[in-house]
Amino acid sequence: MRQQARLTVLVTAFSTLAVQAQAPVITSYNPDTLIVHPEPVIVATRLFGENFWVSGPNDSSRRHLYIRQAGGPWTEAGISIRDISNHDMGITIQSPPYLATPGQIELKLVIDGVESRPFAIQVRKVGPKLDSVSPDQILLKPGLDEAAFQISLRGQFWVSPTEWWINGNYYGWCHQHPDFGDEVITWPGELRKAGIYKVQLRNPLGASVDRIVELVGAPVLMGSIPAVIHPSDLSPKPPPAPAASVSSPGKLQVLNTAQVSTTQLRLPTFELKATFQGSAPTAMSWQTDQTPWQEVPVKGAIKGSEVRLNLPVTALLPAAWVELRLVNKVGESKLRIPITPDPAAGVRPYAHLEVARNPAGQVDRNPGSPAMSLRTPAVVTPVVPKEVPPLPPAATRRLDALLPRLQPSVRSWVQDQAQRQRALPAPNLEAIRQAARDRFKPMNDPAAATRLRATIAVRPGPPAPMNPAAPSVGLGSADIEALCFIVLMEASKSSQQDLKAIMDGVKASNKQKEQLRQLMNEVQRQRAGARPNDTPCASPDCKALEASLRTLTTQLPGKARLTLPPIATIGDLAGIEAKLKGSLDSLSEMGEMESLRLQMAMDRMSKFMAALSNLEKKASDTSDAIIANLK
């Protein structure tokens, strides 16, 4: 009887506790992790609420967590509790099935037999976010090590597989801390050159916004237009024949050249153009042998890889040279342009340049002003070669034999050095040699020295001494020259590509100029005759002309592109002819810079070929077995 009474008391006590137990309540969760995961994964997250563990022993049988998809049955499969306190709980959810697609899932917690209300969670489809990149600017100063090219990416929603892309090209995937949106990447060797790059994250759920990383290099002045300044460029003289000017609308008045003085025709400023490579300058200045450095505002003076300066003629006339200087955070570049006497008559070709003259007799550039035709030196366009000069076959065969032996880190170093050489007007072999010595330094460790000697020696030699007192072992002169050869070949291949691109551009520009001239001739032919301006332009030839004009317009570059109104009458062709002339002038102006770029690219290519030839002669008796396992 006593035992039965005790049992009744215990049952009553536990029943009272169950009645008094408070129901658990789930109030919130971490939303950053419960998103769509296209690949199989176990996702960890946290639930927050009340009465998860009020008291009692830490017994897993006291608590149960259930999950279901919308409308499905409750189950404990695919979900588990990792840790618990009274107000928060760590859980894991398996995907698939619960996080494989967007939709709703529900959770229910049971503590000591008391259930919570179902808690609904929306599983969202969210693309990766890239909140920041650090650093977002790298200064390409000499002597940078690998640590300078470590970039930290931070963001969220990096479900697997999340990849990082640069300028639209895949380079790797995030694997370090994708759950926290944290990754450190190594900037690719082939992109370690001055430029602005767009970094983006992509996965099957979408793409992040672009974040900018800028690699800043020193600006390198490549050349100028004109390459030599003559006094006639600065003070053009009027032609001996009388010039025509407009005194009133529709009437021409012959103006004797005696009425226009040379001073009136002298241009107050002289426009000097120069091209540069590398990053844009933050400061510009110029000087002459008679004038100290003068600062020039950068804003408005830079267009792409071209700078334009309007220099005062009064400072240039008494000078023997003018020098430009571009500066930024990394370094500076200077270019000196000589000012020499005019060549003898007939030596230099001349072209006609229209210089607008305002009513006061002063020179200006306003469209529509009365114009006077003046003789000024013309820019000589270089002949475009039919094809890019090929690399020496023997050098190509040697490179093909050496490249497969390079380890990835060495290949990256070669590409970096090749890009540096590509930006120079001529190869700098000594810079390559010094970079190789700095990168592959001698070793005092005997074992490492033996491996180095065995794997990079161009000519066979005795193994490195194994005693600790032995001298350090590094690259020999033959090894250095072989590395120079590889770098120079890679730079030459890049220069070939640059030259081909410029050649294609010049050829396309010349073709467009010829098409414009043909269309101008056709417009003039259509306008010829005594037909009134309101005569409809309805003939087959006229319609074909309009179609040709509109086709060519879509092919012209932006600065030379035509905006054509409807051609309804013969009178409309007059405006079309003026537009064609303006477009042709714009193409000619752009062609000057392209011609300069072509000439510089051809000169650079010839210098690279000469340097390659010299290296080949120097290495004629050297074995090709080299640097199989550089590290």
Side-chain angles (χ1 to χ4, degrees), residues 22 34 58 147 187 216 247 321 334 388 418 438 456 472 528-529 572 582:
Q22 297 180 351
L34 296 185
N58 184 11
W187 196 256
V216 181
S247 59
W321 49 262
K334 296 179 182 179
V388 177
D438 294 340
I456 68 174
S472 60
D572 295 334

Side-chain angles (χ1 to χ4, degrees), residues 530-541:
R531 292 180 293 178
N533 285 340
D534 58 356
T535 302
C537 185
S539 66
D541 289 346

Side-chain angles (χ1 to χ4, degrees), residues 389-409:
L391 296 174
T396 302
R397 288 193 298 269
R398 185 184 180 198
L399 180 68
D400 292 340
L402 294 177
L403 278 182
R405 307 180 190 181
L406 296 181
Q407 291 191 7
S409 60

Side-chain angles (χ1 to χ4, degrees), residues 2-17:
R2 290 181 178 178
Q3 292 179 351
Q4 185 176 2
R6 288 177 180 176
L7 182 62
T8 302
V9 171
L10 288 173
V11 170
T12 303
F14 277 113
S15 299
T16 302
L17 286 173

